[in-house]
Amino acid sequence: AITGQGVISSIGLSVNEVYSSLENGLSGITTLEMEDLGRLKVQNGGQIKGYDPLQFFDSQEISKMDKFSQFAMIAAREAVNDSGLSFKNESLAISSGVILGSSAGGMSTLNESYKYVFEKEKNKVHPYTIPKIMANSAASNISIAFNIQDPSFTVSSACASSNPAMGLAYDT
């Protein structure tokens, strides 16, 4: 069952901010803020601006999670808090799971690793590269953080990934 709400998006860093943006008709599509933007034909997108991972994580956690996993964890924290559930309750922990939808894993890490090896001509990547780029890393990090012990996995069905993930969560 879906028991709480959590979100981080281009129109807000919390459920309340997103609702407020929606009520006020704000769009999250703006000019992207990134390196090498001039090379791109399309320069607009739904980017989460003003994000500082240190507001949400310590430096050790940041080194182990790609930005997509950080975003998932922020939303999960808000959803768990909103739900009022505590997974310290063993019976709840062993009967709860994490089913996440994501079309891809840690693309920021993959991009950084590519640049590091091929542009900077280094011969190795960060030791957490593989765990950070896996599509299931966000679900795994969430289940570990909250001691959720039932099945934890990611549905990857391109842009529609959230729909089957919610359906599976409902059926489970």
Side-chain angles (χ1 to χ4, degrees), residues 110-126 129:
L110 186 61
N111 189 40
E112 290 166 9
S113 298
Y114 180 88
K115 287 180 178 181
Y116 193 74
V117 171
F118 294 104
E119 292 178 11
K120 295 183 179 181
E121 299 182 358
K122 303 295 181 180
N123 64 356
K124 61 181 179 179
V125 294
H126 190 281
T129 297

mmCIF file of all heavy atoms in Angstrom, residues 110-126 129:
data_model
loop_
_atom_site.group_PDB
_atom_site.id
_atom_site.type_symbol
_atom_site.label_atom_id
_atom_site.label_comp_id
_atom_site.label_asym_id
_atom_site.label_seq_id
_atom_site.Cartn_x
_atom_site.Cartn_y
_atom_site.Cartn_z
ATOM 1 N N LEU A 110 27.627 7.905 -14.253
ATOM 2 C CA LEU A 110 28.103 7.339 -15.511
ATOM 3 C C LEU A 110 28.778 8.409 -16.352
ATOM 4 O O LEU A 110 29.875 8.196 -16.890
ATOM 5 C CB LEU A 110 26.939 6.719 -16.277
ATOM 6 C CG LEU A 110 27.286 5.955 -17.538
ATOM 7 C CD1 LEU A 110 28.201 4.773 -17.237
ATOM 8 C CD2 LEU A 110 26.017 5.478 -18.225
ATOM 9 N N ASN A 111 28.176 9.581 -16.440
ATOM 10 C CA ASN A 111 28.747 10.688 -17.198
ATOM 11 C C ASN A 111 30.078 11.152 -16.600
ATOM 12 O O ASN A 111 31.060 11.358 -17.321
ATOM 13 C CB ASN A 111 27.745 11.842 -17.264
ATOM 14 C CG ASN A 111 28.176 12.932 -18.212
ATOM 15 O OD1 ASN A 111 28.703 12.669 -19.290
ATOM 16 N ND2 ASN A 111 27.936 14.167 -17.817
ATOM 17 N N GLU A 112 30.121 11.310 -15.277
ATOM 18 C CA GLU A 112 31.362 11.727 -14.608
ATOM 19 C C GLU A 112 32.466 10.698 -14.818
ATOM 20 O O GLU A 112 33.627 11.060 -15.050
ATOM 21 C CB GLU A 112 31.120 11.916 -13.113
ATOM 22 C CG GLU A 112 30.256 13.103 -12.768
ATOM 23 C CD GLU A 112 29.756 13.070 -11.321
ATOM 24 O OE1 GLU A 112 30.221 12.217 -10.530
ATOM 25 O OE2 GLU A 112 28.880 13.895 -11.004
ATOM 26 N N SER A 113 32.117 9.427 -14.735
ATOM 27 C CA SER A 113 33.106 8.359 -14.916
ATOM 28 C C SER A 113 33.645 8.347 -16.342
ATOM 29 O O SER A 113 34.843 8.160 -16.562
ATOM 30 C CB SER A 113 32.492 6.996 -14.579
ATOM 31 O OG SER A 113 32.104 6.972 -13.234
ATOM 32 N N TYR A 114 32.764 8.539 -17.307
ATOM 33 C CA TYR A 114 33.185 8.604 -18.701
ATOM 34 C C TYR A 114 34.182 9.745 -18.893
ATOM 35 O O TYR A 114 35.244 9.557 -19.485
ATOM 36 C CB TYR A 114 31.974 8.798 -19.619
ATOM 37 C CG TYR A 114 32.355 8.881 -21.077
ATOM 38 C CD1 TYR A 114 32.453 7.733 -21.847
ATOM 39 C CD2 TYR A 114 32.633 10.106 -21.677
ATOM 40 C CE1 TYR A 114 32.821 7.795 -23.179
ATOM 41 C CE2 TYR A 114 33.006 10.183 -23.004
ATOM 42 C CZ TYR A 114 33.096 9.031 -23.758
ATOM 43 O OH TYR A 114 33.482 9.098 -25.068
ATOM 44 N N LYS A 115 33.835 10.934 -18.393
ATOM 45 C CA LYS A 115 34.735 12.092 -18.523
ATOM 46 C C LYS A 115 36.070 11.820 -17.839
ATOM 47 O O LYS A 115 37.134 12.169 -18.361
ATOM 48 C CB LYS A 115 34.097 13.338 -17.909
ATOM 49 C CG LYS A 115 32.975 13.919 -18.726
ATOM 50 C CD LYS A 115 32.407 15.152 -18.026
ATOM 51 C CE LYS A 115 31.314 15.780 -18.830
ATOM 52 N NZ LYS A 115 30.772 16.981 -18.183
ATOM 53 N N TYR A 116 36.018 11.213 -16.662
ATOM 54 C CA TYR A 116 37.221 10.937 -15.891
ATOM 55 C C TYR A 116 38.170 10.017 -16.658
ATOM 56 O O TYR A 116 39.366 10.261 -16.721
ATOM 57 C CB TYR A 116 36.826 10.315 -14.545
ATOM 58 C CG TYR A 116 37.936 10.266 -13.532
ATOM 59 C CD1 TYR A 116 38.360 11.420 -12.872
ATOM 60 C CD2 TYR A 116 38.556 9.069 -13.209
ATOM 61 C CE1 TYR A 116 39.371 11.378 -11.930
ATOM 62 C CE2 TYR A 116 39.567 9.019 -12.262
ATOM 63 C CZ TYR A 116 39.970 10.176 -11.630
ATOM 64 O OH TYR A 116 40.981 10.126 -10.704
ATOM 65 N N VAL A 117 37.619 8.972 -17.254
ATOM 66 C CA VAL A 117 38.455 7.995 -17.959
ATOM 67 C C VAL A 117 38.863 8.484 -19.348
ATOM 68 O O VAL A 117 40.036 8.410 -19.724
ATOM 69 C CB VAL A 117 37.740 6.620 -18.066
ATOM 70 C CG1 VAL A 117 38.506 5.674 -18.976
ATOM 71 C CG2 VAL A 117 37.580 6.002 -16.681
ATOM 72 N N PHE A 118 37.918 9.000 -20.120
ATOM 73 C CA PHE A 118 38.207 9.300 -21.514
ATOM 74 C C PHE A 118 38.654 10.730 -21.783
ATOM 75 O O PHE A 118 39.430 10.962 -22.708
ATOM 76 C CB PHE A 118 37.000 8.945 -22.388
ATOM 77 C CG PHE A 118 36.744 7.472 -22.411
ATOM 78 C CD1 PHE A 118 35.702 6.929 -21.684
ATOM 79 C CD2 PHE A 118 37.567 6.612 -23.132
ATOM 80 C CE1 PHE A 118 35.477 5.562 -21.686
ATOM 81 C CE2 PHE A 118 37.360 5.247 -23.133
ATOM 82 C CZ PHE A 118 36.310 4.716 -22.407
ATOM 83 N N GLU A 119 38.216 11.692 -20.993
ATOM 84 C CA GLU A 119 38.653 13.061 -21.208
ATOM 85 C C GLU A 119 39.861 13.418 -20.356
ATOM 86 O O GLU A 119 40.764 14.092 -20.815
ATOM 87 C CB GLU A 119 37.503 14.039 -20.953
ATOM 88 C CG GLU A 119 36.391 13.922 -21.987
ATOM 89 C CD GLU A 119 35.233 14.868 -21.709
ATOM 90 O OE1 GLU A 119 35.350 15.762 -20.838
ATOM 91 O OE2 GLU A 119 34.188 14.697 -22.371
ATOM 92 N N LYS A 120 39.887 12.936 -19.123
ATOM 93 C CA LYS A 120 41.019 13.216 -18.237
ATOM 94 C C LYS A 120 42.079 12.128 -18.319
ATOM 95 O O LYS A 120 43.109 12.217 -17.667
ATOM 96 C CB LYS A 120 40.534 13.400 -16.796
ATOM 97 C CG LYS A 120 39.637 14.616 -16.645
ATOM 98 C CD LYS A 120 39.230 14.835 -15.216
ATOM 99 C CE LYS A 120 38.363 16.072 -15.123
ATOM 100 N NZ LYS A 120 37.961 16.357 -13.756
ATOM 101 N N GLU A 121 41.770 11.076 -19.071
ATOM 102 C CA GLU A 121 42.694 9.962 -19.338
ATOM 103 C C GLU A 121 43.191 9.272 -18.068
ATOM 104 O O GLU A 121 44.353 8.879 -17.968
ATOM 105 C CB GLU A 121 43.847 10.436 -20.221
ATOM 106 C CG GLU A 121 43.369 10.951 -21.561
ATOM 107 C CD GLU A 121 44.495 11.392 -22.472
ATOM 108 O OE1 GLU A 121 45.677 11.339 -22.083
ATOM 109 O OE2 GLU A 121 44.174 11.813 -23.599
ATOM 110 N N LYS A 122 42.296 9.097 -17.111
ATOM 111 C CA LYS A 122 42.619 8.343 -15.896
ATOM 112 C C LYS A 122 42.353 6.871 -16.169
ATOM 113 O O LYS A 122 41.601 6.506 -17.062
ATOM 114 C CB LYS A 122 41.766 8.823 -14.713
ATOM 115 C CG LYS A 122 41.918 10.307 -14.421
ATOM 116 C CD LYS A 122 43.311 10.653 -13.965
ATOM 117 C CE LYS A 122 43.409 12.141 -13.651
ATOM 118 N NZ LYS A 122 44.726 12.527 -13.205
ATOM 119 N N ASN A 123 42.959 5.998 -15.382
ATOM 120 C CA ASN A 123 42.831 4.559 -15.665
ATOM 121 C C ASN A 123 41.922 3.815 -14.688
ATOM 122 O O ASN A 123 41.876 2.588 -14.709
ATOM 123 C CB ASN A 123 44.210 3.896 -15.699
ATOM 124 C CG ASN A 123 44.916 3.941 -14.361
ATOM 125 O OD1 ASN A 123 44.426 4.529 -13.415
ATOM 126 N ND2 ASN A 123 46.070 3.308 -14.289
ATOM 127 N N LYS A 124 41.189 4.537 -13.850
ATOM 128 C CA LYS A 124 40.245 3.876 -12.945
ATOM 129 C C LYS A 124 39.154 4.866 -12.573
ATOM 130 O O LYS A 124 39.305 6.075 -12.739
ATOM 131 C CB LYS A 124 40.945 3.338 -11.702
ATOM 132 C CG LYS A 124 41.623 4.388 -10.843
ATOM 133 C CD LYS A 124 42.321 3.761 -9.653
ATOM 134 C CE LYS A 124 43.009 4.843 -8.836
ATOM 135 N NZ LYS A 124 43.669 4.290 -7.662
ATOM 136 N N VAL A 125 38.062 4.324 -12.055
ATOM 137 C CA VAL A 125 36.932 5.151 -11.636
ATOM 138 C C VAL A 125 36.720 4.987 -10.136
ATOM 139 O O VAL A 125 37.337 4.138 -9.493
ATOM 140 C CB VAL A 125 35.652 4.787 -12.420
ATOM 141 C CG1 VAL A 125 35.807 5.135 -13.896
ATOM 142 C CG2 VAL A 125 35.275 3.332 -12.239
ATOM 143 N N HIS A 126 35.814 5.767 -9.603
ATOM 144 C CA HIS A 126 35.483 5.718 -8.177
ATOM 145 C C HIS A 126 35.046 4.296 -7.814
ATOM 146 O O HIS A 126 34.328 3.647 -8.573
ATOM 147 C CB HIS A 126 34.349 6.709 -7.894
ATOM 148 C CG HIS A 126 34.078 6.938 -6.452
ATOM 149 N ND1 HIS A 126 33.349 6.052 -5.684
ATOM 150 C CD2 HIS A 126 34.434 7.949 -5.619
ATOM 151 C CE1 HIS A 126 33.261 6.506 -4.445
ATOM 152 N NE2 HIS A 126 33.902 7.657 -4.383
ATOM 153 N N THR A 129 31.357 3.323 -8.284
ATOM 154 C CA THR A 129 30.733 3.617 -9.575
ATOM 155 C C THR A 129 29.627 2.628 -9.913
ATOM 156 O O THR A 129 28.504 3.033 -10.239
ATOM 157 C CB THR A 129 31.786 3.653 -10.698
ATOM 158 O OG1 THR A 129 32.706 4.717 -10.419
ATOM 159 C CG2 THR A 129 31.150 3.866 -12.051
#
